[in-house]
Amino acid sequence: MHPINLKVNNQPFTGQCSPGTSLLTLLRDIGWAGVHRVCQTGDCGACTVWLEGTPVHSCLYPAVRAEGHLITTIEGLAADGQFSPMQQAFLEKQGFQCGFCTPGMIMSAEKVTFESEGELRLAMRGNLCRCTGYQAVVDSILLGKEMEARQLEGVGNAPPPNNQPQANHSLPQIGQSIPKQDGPEIVTGKPVYTSDWEPAGLLHMKVLRSPHPHARIRHINPEKAKNLPGVHLILTHQDVPRRAYTTAGHAAPVPDPLDHYVLDYKVRFIGDRVAAVVADSVAIAEKACQLIEVDYEILPHVVDPLEAMGREQPGSGQQAASSGSGEQAMTPPLAAPILHDEPESSQIPDASRNIAGYVAMESGDLVQGFAEADRVLEKTYRLPALQHTHLEPHVCTSWLDEEGTLVVRSSTQVPFHCQRVLSELYDLPLEKVRVYKAKIGGGFGNKQEILCEDLCALATLRTGRPVQWEFTRQEEFTCTNSRHAMIIRLKLGVRNDGTLTAMDMEAIANTGAYGNHGCVVIFLTGNESIGMYRCAHKRFLGYAVYTNTMPAGAFRGYGATQGIFAMETLLDEIAAQLELDPIEVQQKNVIRPGDVIAIGHGEDHFNLIGGYALDECFAKVLQAMDYTPGQPPVVNGPRRRGMGFAVSMQGSGLAKVHTACVHLSLKPDGRLWMRTGSVDVGTGSDTTLRQIAAHVLGVTVSDIDITTADTHTTPFDAGSYASATLYISGQASKLAAEKLRSQLLELAATRLETEPGNVILAGGTFEANGNVLTFQDLAATPHPLLSAESEYFADESTLTFAVQGVEVEVDTETGKVSVLRSVQAIDLGKAINPRICLGQATGGSAMGIGYALMEELLFDPQGKILNPAFRTYRIPTAADVPPMEVFLIESQDPHGPFGAKGVGEITTNCMAPAIANAIAHATGARLTQLPMTPERVWQAIRGGVADFGYELGVV
Ligand code: FES
């Protein structure tokens, strides 16, 4: 150990650290939690601090080299009770969502110099953000620099911390861009995330993971590891209950295969769990993992989903015939190994063929539909597995409280589902399991899984001690979930006037080693893509197939993203072949109000059309893009510019499944208290749900305290996924507020000696006959309990629509594609909080750019992921994302709260097809594989692709 003396935020520190300790670890260990641990490889910037005023990545900086130096962290910026100008600017422009990147972003932004917005974006490319799409970050930094300049000139100061811009009290709460209420704690680096707090006596867990894609554990010997000082517990498959469950966070009865075990005698992918170690420190637990001896019987493995299900390529003639049953495709004997042959597993549609999920939907007569077509086009698309890369990893802490209740504090999108799973796994009464969340640093679907809570909880039950398990970034990339890689074959029949006559889609999703989410994801692949267009003759066949690779799961867009890519690019292509305007073809065929959104019969009315403003979306985007049908690409030497467009739709919540409850009450001090089980994953729903209630109750958001997502103190909520929070929890908030409003009006009427109908509730007061009462007055009045609880069950999933336009520039010599412009219009019903909606739009769009151009998990023949780090798995930086123009089009949905629909996922869906269509417009090259890397674009151009009638260099 080395002695070390340094100053942090002007406070002296004297202590010791080992030679390998990073400055990041030291700073967090001594309580500076605003320094966030994300990649630990210097690739993301989340741990940026200043060393003598110079920004450094503290994860790479050895603590011993900081000896004698002054370190400044985010906590040191708000000097003398004042926000720094940059902190203030991030609050005003809301340059954050989950906030996990924000401390590092602000520490870099304070020091950045630039001459233009383009230079700023380049200079900030070392700081990654997965939520915002960087638009609000860039706007914040530009404002921050302006404020710094003003401050240097002595004009104006920033207000003190915990005093951020608030709502305009004189305006209705609905439709106002009220700041996210957690802003001050985010920009000052408060210890609000799961790993920022530790109970006394905490033990740490690490997991030994499989080096083999498929193997049976013949023997496992943990003795050496057990004897390591500091080790408290080792768990193997012999020590845990054998109960099949799914890691997917779905409401019961779950639709997923029950095929997962806390620990199993078989491993099914490189990275699968083998054993868990609980020790005094992370380092000891890691060392103990290496001492566990495992004798594996290596089994044959399969990583290709077609091989795994015994199929050839789609379109090869071996796919299902027009009967739609799919059975024909499944007759040859299977040569591939079977992943799930264990007798305890259930709800697997066809384990003998590695089919984890199967969907078949058909309407009309395909043979007739294609016979009616003047042109038929069929293509096969290959779409990659992606990683969510939420910056905060999976992490949870568990302990037993004084009454013996198992408490789990977790970064989860689904606390109530997690509670149910833990209760079932360990035979605990539901009330003896409490799950709650701290602030969440992003999830995007990957935390709609129970991936760490089960083992952590069991470790606490066995040791009686608090235990924490935090995933490394490598584990995030290799041992959690991905977006489903898919092979999609799509065949369209179209008349010469562009009318669709037949649509036939088949999707084969690689669901990896476990089937969590696979069947629902594959359903949405068809439902949200070919379901978006009117056509009498349709068929969709979908398979989620087991392979010996990391499982795939929920990921923003949830299967719709893949299906919409195929649909929107093939429709654009067929329109071009017919020399029709692709926009005209889309508009001619797209669904309209009154249409039934169903293919076949099994899933009738899963989605429906409520509010509808798609025509206005088209008009806004086309006008902003200055689009003229038939316009040629712009050619500048080897650079060619083109425009592309795409439409998408996504349901709000899960019809007939999603439930949310909200409790509202008047507190003795006259403030209001909302309790909701809903989960704010960083989007700002804690603010928007209060906006809804405040609007009904004639108060402001700041008059309502909120407690969220705690199975013991808040009512049930299905969780944050499927674009449901605003639509469903928002409706529950509205209903609860309306009930409480009636109670309040009745009490006020009694006090004011009038009828409730005569009392005006507005601006935080009750007024009748010239007399006024405040909420405090009512609270002081003897009264029965003033509280209301609502339960909202979604009978329908209303559809949100979006239109995306992009302009790209393709360098035909290198294949590099630059997105120059992005214009998007979202038919969102009602923007409860426009700025939060814009943040969702730009964040989703940036994710779509990543999907289109750069993101792909690469696998070796064993299924091992080859790029498990931000340096090799690139996500968009500020420099990769263009300025984005977003139009929020309101259409007053009859089902959502105040007419609002979900916007969480839709913007991710249409970016990749719009870019592909723009590349085709620019070059004639039609890409059918994502991401559209420079190599693939270059090859497609050189492949002489001339589907659009252009040849390179000839317009
Ligand atoms: Fe940047 Fe979430 S706000 S990662």
Side-chain angles (χ1 to χ4, degrees):
M1 297 292 271
H2 278 272
I4 186 161
N5 297 284
L6 43 77
K7 270 189 178 178
V8 184
N9 300 326
N10 287 321
Q11 296 177 26
F13 168 75
T14 300
Q16 296 210 318
C17 70
S18 61
T21 305
S22 68
L23 183 56
L24 164 66
T25 300
L26 177 71
L27 290 169
R28 285 191 66 82
D29 283 352
I30 63 177
W32 300 102
V35 189
H36 288 164
R37 182 168 44 227
V38 175
C39 69
Q40 306 216 71
T41 50
D43 295 319
C44 75
C47 65
T48 304
V49 299
W50 301 342
L51 186 119
E52 300 292 353
T54 301
V56 296
H57 289 143
S58 62
C59 67
L60 294 183
Y61 204 89
V64 290
R65 280 184 55 200
E67 169 70 25
H69 286 294
L70 169 66
I71 309 297
T72 308
T73 71
I74 189 75
E75 291 96 331
L77 284 195
D80 303 325
Q82 300 281 325
F83 288 127
S84 76
M86 194 58 73
Q87 288 173 311
Q88 181 62 25
F90 268 74
L91 283 176
E92 288 199 9
K93 294 289 180 184
Q94 207 161 291
F96 52 83
Q97 284 178 31
C98 80
F100 213 73
C101 69
T102 308
M105 195 71 84
I106 290 177
M107 296 307 285
S108 296
E110 289 267 5
K111 299 291 182 182
V112 75
T113 57
F114 54 90
E115 296 291 328
S116 64
E117 185 179 319
E119 275 188 29
L120 166 62
R121 286 177 178 269
L122 272 174
M124 290 299 294
R125 66 187 186 277
N127 285 81
L128 300 179
C129 174
R130 195 52 153 169
C131 300
T132 62
Y134 300 102
Q135 188 67 53
V137 171
V138 167
D139 293 346
S140 301
I141 299 173
L142 291 171
L143 176 64
K145 292 298 176 188
E146 248 182 74
M147 292 169 75
E148 279 171 9
R150 285 212 304 272
Q151 201 179 50
L152 281 176
E153 291 163 11
V155 188
N157 257 335
N162 303 320
N163 183 9
Q164 66 162 331
Q166 286 299 336
N168 185 336
H169 291 212
S170 62
L171 292 174
Q173 297 293 290
I174 297 302
Q176 271 202 69
S177 289
I178 293 169
K180 274 180 82 215
Q181 299 293 292
D182 53 1
E185 59 198 36
I186 284 175
V187 303
T188 52
K190 291 280 183 290
V192 290
Y193 299 93
T194 303
S195 66
D196 293 346
W197 172 82
E198 293 185 355
L202 183 69
L203 301 176
H204 296 270
M205 170 177 275
K206 280 287 156 186
V207 164
L208 175 67
R209 295 189 176 277
S210 169
H212 304 296
H214 201 190
R216 194 180 309 275
I217 297 172
R218 271 194 293 243
H219 183 64
I220 186 162
N221 180 3
E223 285 312 309
K224 283 187 191 158
K226 269 184 186 163
N227 293 331
L228 190 69
V231 170
H232 291 256
L233 177 74
I234 294 182
L235 295 170
T236 71
H237 66 90
Q238 290 153 340
D239 310 310
V240 303
R242 181 150 186 88
R243 196 159 282 171
Y245 70 107
T246 175
T247 62
H250 276 137
V254 294
D256 312 277
L258 304 180
D259 58 5
H260 193 269
Y261 301 85
V262 174
L263 291 166
D264 197 357
Y265 54 77
K266 259 179 94 174
V267 288
R268 297 177 184 83
F269 71 100
I270 294 175
D272 210 350
R273 301 155 156 201
V274 175
V277 176
V278 181
D280 284 332
S281 70
V282 170
I284 295 171
E286 280 173 344
K287 193 169 176 191
C289 283
Q290 293 164 12
L291 296 176
I292 298 172
E293 295 168 345
V294 189
D295 177 17
Y296 294 102
E297 177 196 350
I298 308 295
L299 301 173
H301 69 277
V302 59
V303 298
D304 181 332
L306 296 172
E307 195 185 328
M309 67 190 292
R311 284 280 302 276
E312 292 178 4
Q313 297 293 323
S316 66
Q318 210 194 54
Q319 72 271 8
S322 60
S323 71
S325 70
E327 293 307 312
Q328 215 172 307
M330 316 246 246
T331 44
L334 189 67
I338 294 167
L339 267 73
H340 286 279
D341 52 5
E342 60 280 356
E344 303 90 338
S345 294
S346 59
Q347 298 188 188
I348 301 175
D350 187 353
S352 69
R353 295 272 156 183
N354 288 318
I355 306 293
Y358 173 56
V359 175
M361 303 186 282
E362 185 167 4
S363 312
D365 180 340
L366 274 187
V367 173
Q368 181 191 336
F370 282 115
E372 289 170 5
D374 296 312
R375 185 170 292 252
V376 173
L377 192 57
E378 179 175 1
K379 283 213 165 170
T380 299
Y381 298 85
R382 284 182 165 71
L383 308 169
L386 304 191
Q387 226 287 314
H388 308 67
T389 67
H390 39 79
L391 293 200
E392 182 201 32
H394 286 82
V395 54
C396 74
T397 310
S398 56
W399 66 95
L400 296 171
D401 73 8
E402 323 70 62
E403 287 157 7
T405 300
L406 173 68
V407 185
V408 180
R409 172 179 152 112
S410 176
S411 183
T412 175
Q413 295 174 226
V414 286
F416 285 87
H417 298 333
C418 183
Q419 179 202 33
R420 189 195 70 243
V421 169
L422 294 179
S423 150
E424 288 169 0
L425 277 177
Y426 303 129
D427 286 326
L428 295 168
L430 212 52
E431 65 276 11
K432 295 302 280 182
V433 182
R434 175 186 171 201
V435 180
Y436 75 99
K437 66 152 195 75
K439 184 176 292 305
I440 295 180
F444 312 114
N446 208 11
K447 294 177 181 170
Q448 194 197 338
E449 299 281 347
I450 291 96
L451 295 184
C452 54
E453 297 89 347
D454 56 337
L455 268 175
C456 207
L458 184 59
T460 284
L461 292 171
R462 293 286 165 85
T463 61
R465 295 272 300 269
V467 179
Q468 186 174 83
W469 186 14
E470 180 175 352
F471 283 20
T472 64
R473 186 53 47 182
Q474 169 140 355
E475 282 182 304
E476 287 295 334
F477 274 107
T478 59
C479 311
T480 58
N481 285 274
S482 68
R483 187 186 290 288
H484 284 77
M486 281 194 200
I487 301 165
I488 298 179
R489 180 188 57 80
L490 178 61
K491 182 177 176 184
L492 298 179
V494 181
R495 288 207 190 94
N496 282 333
D497 67 355
T499 305
L500 282 162
T501 62
M503 311 171 83
D504 185 18
M505 178 183 276
E506 183 182 32
I508 295 171
N510 185 344
T511 203
Y514 301 99
N516 44 309
H517 295 281
C519 53
V520 192
V521 162
I522 201 76
F523 165 68
L524 283 201
T525 300
N527 199 66
E528 311 297 90
S529 58
I530 65 174
M532 191 163 58
Y533 290 101
R534 290 173 160 178
C535 182
H537 311 292
K538 289 183 188 177
R539 180 176 66 164
F540 174 74
L541 296 175
Y543 307 86
V545 184
Y546 290 124
T547 66
N548 294 111
T549 57
M550 179 174 78
F555 193 147
R556 195 180 204 169
Y558 206 82
T561 318
Q562 294 92 320
I564 286 170
F565 180 79
M567 181 66 222
E568 290 302 288
T569 51
L570 194 65
L571 193 63
D572 188 272
E573 186 171 356
I574 207 165
Q577 289 187 1
L578 292 168
E579 297 183 359
L580 296 172
D581 175 21
I583 305 288
E584 189 192 319
V585 174
Q586 284 167 328
Q587 289 188 297
K588 178 190 276 282
N589 292 290
V590 78
I591 51 173
R592 299 271 162 191
D595 287 355
V596 174
I597 316 306
I599 310 164
H601 308 290
E603 302 288 349
D604 279 2
H605 307 294
F606 182 83
N607 291 134
L608 54 73
I609 301 175
Y612 184 90
L614 192 50
D615 294 329
E616 199 180 338
C617 290
F618 273 114
K620 281 282 184 199
V621 170
L622 298 181
Q623 187 187 25
M625 295 286 292
D626 198 17
Y627 172 76
T628 309
Q631 66 194 65
V634 176
V635 179
N636 179 13
R639 296 175 188 272
R640 300 170 69 100
R641 290 187 179 187
M643 282 187 194
F645 300 87
V647 192
S648 68
M649 73 178 195
Q650 189 101 29
S652 304
L654 298 175
K656 299 177 178 53
V657 172
H658 243 116
T659 306
C661 310
V662 168
H663 188 276
L664 265 167
S665 57
L666 181 68
K667 292 167 62 179
D669 61 0
R671 293 180 58 74
L672 293 159
W673 184 21
M674 173 184 280
R675 289 187 291 131
T676 165
S678 71
V679 176
D680 187 339
V681 281
T683 57
S685 61
D686 283 356
T687 301
T688 46
L689 295 186
R690 275 184 284 181
Q691 275 182 264
I692 289 169
H695 187 82
V696 174
L697 292 164
V699 296
T700 66
V701 167
S702 52
D703 295 321
I704 304 178
D705 299 326
I706 190 164
T707 304
T708 63
D710 182 334
T711 59
H712 271 39
T713 61
T714 64
F716 179 84
D717 190 289
S720 175
Y721 56 94
S723 302
T725 307
L726 178 69
Y727 180 71
I728 291 171
S729 307
Q731 193 66 281
S733 299
K734 181 167 178 276
L735 293 173
E738 286 167 351
K739 282 189 189 174
L740 184 62
R741 179 187 166 94
S742 298
Q743 296 176 23
L744 291 166
L745 286 173
E746 217 159 283
L747 182 63
T750 309
R751 278 279 309 265
L752 295 168
E753 298 180 350
T754 184
E755 293 300 312
N758 298 330
V759 180
I760 297 167
L761 170 53
T765 62
F766 302 82
E767 192 262 319
N769 306 324
N771 297 314
V772 174
L773 289 173
T774 64
F775 278 72
Q776 287 82 358
D777 293 332
L778 279 197
T781 305
H783 61 264
L785 185 64
L786 290 175
S787 72
E789 183 155 321
S790 68
E791 177 176 339
Y792 183 69
F793 174 74
D795 243 339
E796 61 287 307
S797 166
T798 201
L799 285 165
T800 304
F801 297 92
V803 176
Q804 175 71 57
V806 293
E807 184 179 10
V808 304
E809 182 173 87
V810 185
D811 183 331
T812 56
E813 289 182 342
T814 64
K816 183 173 184 328
V817 176
S818 305
V819 183
L820 305 177
R821 290 181 71 197
S822 163
V823 180
Q824 184 175 81
I826 311 173
D827 168 13
L828 46 45
K830 171 77 186 170
I832 302 289
N833 185 317
R835 188 160 57 181
I836 284 177
C837 296
L838 289 174
Q840 287 294 293
T842 53
S845 296
M847 218 172 238
I849 289 174
Y851 189 42
L853 298 178
M854 61 188 75
E855 293 184 42
E856 179 173 22
L857 286 170
L858 301 170
F859 297 85
D860 77 1
Q862 302 281 305
K864 181 178 179 182
I865 291 173
L866 297 169
N867 52 345
F870 282 121
R871 194 156 299 184
T872 47
Y873 180 97
R874 283 201 56 224
I875 65 170
T877 68
D880 299 309
V881 175
M884 295 186 198
E885 203 173 341
V886 180
F887 296 99
L888 305 178
I889 310 295
E890 298 192 332
S891 56
Q892 290 302 328
D893 188 85
H895 310 290
F898 294 105
K901 305 192 267 193
V903 294
E905 298 174 279
I906 185 151
T907 59
T908 307
N909 295 340
C910 39
M911 182 57 87
I915 291 174
N917 292 339
I919 293 171
H921 180 223
T923 67
R926 292 277 173 188
L927 280 99
T928 54
Q929 185 169 10
L930 294 182
M932 295 175 283
T933 57
E935 294 83 352
R936 286 179 183 146
V937 173
W938 188 89
Q939 278 171 356
I941 292 169
R942 294 301 178 287
V945 180
D947 298 346
F948 198 25
Y950 295 123
E951 279 183 27
L952 198 62
V954 180
V955 178

